[in-house]
Amino acid sequence: MLGLRTTIYKVSDLEAAKLWYSKAFQTEPYFDEPFYVGFNIKGYELGLLPEEDAEKGASVLSYWGVDDILKAYEHLINLEAKPHEAPTNVGGELMVASVYDPWQNIIGIIFNPDFKLQNE
């Protein structure tokens, strides 16, 4: 295993989702087609896949690293995301939180000052 490469969120309105995720992650997509929109988030892929009747569930969580979890959580809530899990300390300085995007996908965020990328 080489680590996280891609997280894909299924959305019913690709154009609205593209705009929302551009604001949420403060970046524009590098790949923008009617069948898939891709964002490069510090070397990791965030993909939007259009699907009208996407099955939703909380069985999978991906956490995106942040430097300030309270600020990042507030930013997403201000974009009309709905709370899933408020910022919570899970040991030491490690904190996690998650929100529902407007399409009911769960976006996790994590503050982990000890995480360092390793060379592949």
Side-chain angles (χ1 to χ4, degrees), residues 52-118:
E52 286 301 316
D53 298 318
E55 183 178 330
K56 305 299 179 189
S59 61
V60 175
L61 279 174
S62 296
Y63 287 95
W64 295 93
V66 297
D67 290 325
D68 183 332
I69 198 161
L70 298 177
K71 185 177 177 181
Y73 183 80
E74 182 178 322
H75 172 69
L76 294 171
I77 295 298
N78 287 340
L79 289 173
E80 299 182 11
K82 302 297 180 215
H84 176 259
E85 179 183 14
T88 303
N89 183 293
V90 292
E93 296 182 64
L94 194 69
M95 293 189 71
V96 298
S98 54
V99 299
Y100 291 102
D101 75 5
W103 300 270
Q104 299 305 304
N105 294 300
I106 299 171
I107 303 170
I109 54 176
I110 186 168
F111 172 72
N112 182 351
D114 296 323
F115 179 82
K116 304 289 185 257
L117 290 176
Q118 298 179 354

Side-chain angles (χ1 to χ4, degrees), residues 1-6 44 120:
M1 297 290 182
L2 298 175
L4 177 67
R5 294 294 184 269
T6 304
Y44 298 93
E120 294 181 356

